[in-house]
Amino acid sequence: VLQTHNGSLTGRTPPDAWLALGHAANSVFVLPPGRRWRALRRLGTEHLLSARRLDGDRLRPLLRGAVADLARRVSKEMMAAAGTVEVGRAAFAAVMELQWRAMFSAGLGDDDSAAARELHDAAREAVALSLERNVSDFIPALAAADLQGIRRGFGRRVAMVYQRIDEQVERRMRGRREASGGSGEKDLLDVMLDMTSEQGKDDGDVTVDRDVIRTFLTDIFLATVDTIVSTIEWAMAELLQHPDTMSKLQEELRSVLGSKAQHLEYSDVDRLPYLRAVIRETLRLHPVVPLVPNVAEATVEIHGHAVPKGCTVLVNLWAVHRDAAVWGPEPDRFVPERFLLRPPEETGFLGTTGFEFIPFSAGRRVCLGLQLATRMVHAMLGSLLLRFDWTLPREVKENGGVDMSESLGLTMVMATPLRAVAKSVSV
Ligand code: HEM
């Protein structure tokens, strides 16, 4: 599905919620694999999400700043709540700020301002609503009634994100009228605005208008927040449940980077094999997108079975990652060491040779944010463990440890937000 027949199996069916405000019509997540989808993917990669951009002069300092921002937020939460930190909340705010700055070269503003809180809530609730099981998706005849109100609710939250994006667009357009030219690397918004005035620049017939701009930027924004944060939360949860693994990782970080180091960057990761193994093992057991639905664009035959045009073939990443024939007799156990033993070509992120480890999926629709996600998850998780020592709150320990249950929708997030007690490591 992801290799031999990938060309015919890359269609998507938009969830009903995404029909609100016409979002699905321009959404890179659900567009059919035609010119518009290709143009959006190329735009995202070329101007924001490629390794070259992320390691370049404009974005690299932003990524570094986001890691420091996370540590600052953890320290602030520690002080406000006697050491207890809601790990996901701190990471959420830092990642939102990062993505906003990356897209608009402007911050979200003071965290405590009503406007920032409103956007935080809108993003969090939009993602949560899009994850909810919706009867409209299973019984299309009932979709018009929107019985659970999910489409309306999603639409209200996304309208709020659109509004904040529109404000940035207006501000930028005013700025461009006043100051002509401008030097330095353009951000994604600048590139998209250039394209609105140069119709035809992109492949002949893909018009970039205000709808396309706000949908694409909303998609990138929401995709960043949920996935990176959830992976960091799962990794911390596993480490808190496996204190020996956490100590081993902290030893690696502190001995390789030195006891005075405050943060780590993605360029340090080559020297940190155990950190790499911990993150791979986390993504193996907790792939944030566990099921990838592929709609057949034409009738295809797979292993002697005809898959008619229009049918959906689900690729179950969760099951692929727990195959005992590949991962040994205890595939459900969190054992990062298993990645230290495997050859590098089996542990890459871009669709491994045997398709045994594919947390970002593979093929034509492979995750667009892979480079950003791998940079941020390594740098943020590594820095959290370098800067702080972590234990479980007493009441969580007394209740048998972390609640590892999953809330399953389009993505697989922790059902109960992770809380942990942090203590600064003195340097
Ligand atoms: C640990 C973090 C992440 C994981 C595990 C992950 C995983 C995935 C998976 C499995 C898919 C489905 C691919 C398919 O349909 O075959 C996907 C799609 C996508 N991801 Fe991610 N993702 C992550 C982070 C991100 C980030 C940070 C962004 C945004 C910058 C992003 C943007 C996208 C987009 C736009 C698509 C749709 C691509 C398309 O349909 O063409 N992802 N991701």
Side-chain angles (χ1 to χ4, degrees):
V1 174
L2 299 176
Q3 192 176 33
T4 315
H5 301 291
N6 197 232
S8 315
L9 284 169
T10 38
R12 295 289 182 266
T13 306
D16 183 75
W18 292 22
L19 301 179
L21 311 179
H23 190 79
N26 289 308
S27 170
V28 66
F29 287 104
V30 293
L31 278 170
R35 278 174 178 279
R36 183 170 289 258
W37 168 76
R38 268 201 307 279
L40 289 176
R41 278 193 69 104
R42 198 169 43 247
L43 198 65
T45 311
E46 281 179 12
H47 299 286
L48 182 65
L49 298 167
S50 63
R52 189 172 61 85
R53 287 284 175 206
L54 293 165
D55 296 334
D57 292 344
R58 193 178 86 79
L59 294 178
R60 193 169 168 187
L62 285 187
L63 267 51
R64 197 184 297 138
V67 176
D69 186 26
L70 173 60
R72 188 183 59 76
R73 287 173 195 273
V74 168
S75 303
K76 194 169 149 193
E77 269 210 36
M78 270 165 61
M79 284 200 268
T84 306
V85 175
E86 206 175 285
V87 178
R89 188 169 52 198
F92 182 89
V95 172
M96 273 184 87
E97 183 70 26
L98 163 70
Q99 190 58 289
W100 203 259
R101 285 181 185 274
M103 295 190 306
F104 302 117
S105 310
L108 273 167
D110 177 7
D111 272 2
D112 297 326
S113 73
R117 271 205 308 276
E118 217 171 48
L119 187 64
H120 280 207
D121 291 347
R124 192 178 290 119
E125 288 163 14
V127 171
L129 277 167
S130 69
L131 303 183
E132 236 168 77
R133 250 162 286 220
N134 187 351
V135 71
S136 303
D137 288 323
F138 300 104
I139 313 176
L142 297 177
D146 188 21
L147 290 176
Q148 293 152 271
I150 292 182
R151 192 183 334 122
R152 289 190 298 278
F154 180 78
R156 268 200 305 280
R157 272 60 169 205
V158 165
M160 170 83 63
V161 180
Y162 279 6
Q163 189 196 329
R164 297 295 301 275
I165 288 177
D166 283 349
E167 285 164 17
Q168 294 292 334
V169 173
E170 295 295 340
R171 191 170 306 157
R172 183 67 58 88
M173 284 170 50
R174 269 200 311 277
R176 282 158 69 109
R177 275 194 298 272
E178 283 154 20
S180 62
S183 59
E185 193 181 305
K186 291 183 171 177
D187 59 20
L188 184 57
L189 176 58
D190 257 330
V191 173
M192 292 191 93
L193 286 175
D194 285 349
M195 290 168 80
T196 58
S197 51
E198 288 178 53
Q199 193 192 336
K201 182 175 168 186
D202 203 60
D203 265 12
D205 62 357
V206 178
T207 311
V208 174
D209 58 20
R210 290 285 289 268
D211 284 341
V212 172
I213 293 182
R214 62 167 86 83
T215 309
F216 188 58
L217 297 179
T218 301
D219 278 354
I220 299 283
F221 183 55
L222 297 183
T224 305
V225 170
D226 197 33
T227 49
I228 292 179
V229 173
S230 165
T231 304
I232 292 173
E233 221 182 353
W234 280 120
M236 286 295 294
E238 289 289 5
L239 292 169
L240 283 157
Q241 291 287 83
H242 298 87
D244 291 348
T245 308
M246 185 184 297
S247 305
K248 190 170 164 185
L249 176 54
Q250 285 179 315
E251 259 165 48
E252 177 185 83
L253 289 162
R254 290 168 194 171
S255 73
V256 171
L257 300 170
S259 56
K260 295 221 161 21
Q262 296 278 303
H263 308 294
L264 73 115
E265 285 200 54
Y266 190 62
S267 51
D268 298 318
V269 167
D270 282 349
R271 296 183 289 144
L272 298 165
Y274 201 58
L275 174 66
R276 292 202 306 271
V278 164
I279 287 170
R280 278 159 174 74
E281 183 69 345
T282 303
L283 284 165
R284 183 183 73 81
L285 289 175
H286 310 285
V288 278
V289 184
L291 291 174
V292 180
N294 299 278
V295 179
E297 300 269 296
T299 298
V300 283
E301 197 180 299
I302 304 176
H303 294 310
H305 301 283
V307 178
K309 182 175 174 186
C311 274
T312 298
V313 182
L314 284 178
V315 176
N316 186 339
L317 302 189
W318 190 93
V320 168
H321 287 179
R322 289 174 189 240
D323 180 353
V326 173
W327 301 103
E330 293 182 294
D332 296 336
R333 275 188 59 209
F334 181 76
V335 185
E337 284 72 11
R338 65 176 97 234
F339 276 94
L340 298 175
L341 304 172
R342 299 179 86 83
E345 64 276 14
E346 285 177 25
T347 62
F349 282 121
L350 265 170
T352 50
T353 42
F355 290 81
E356 293 153 347
F357 177 61
I358 42 172
F360 296 91
S361 191
R364 293 171 79 198
R365 289 200 94 124
V366 67
C367 172
L368 198 59
L370 183 149
Q371 299 290 353
L372 174 64
T374 45
R375 275 162 182 69
M376 291 323 292
V377 172
H378 285 84
M380 285 187 155
L381 182 71
S383 299
L384 284 179
L385 293 158
L386 187 67
R387 276 287 289 274
F388 304 96
D389 283 328
W390 297 86
T391 48
L392 287 175
R394 193 157 45 86
E395 68 280 9
V396 176
K397 257 190 250 165
E398 284 167 3
N399 283 335
V402 179
D403 174 6
M404 298 295 279
S405 48
E406 296 141 351
S407 156
L408 186 59
L410 292 179
T411 60
M412 196 170 71
V413 296
M414 292 190 76
T416 310
L418 177 69
R419 286 167 58 249
V421 179
K423 188 163 158 279
S424 280
V425 176
S426 41
V427 291

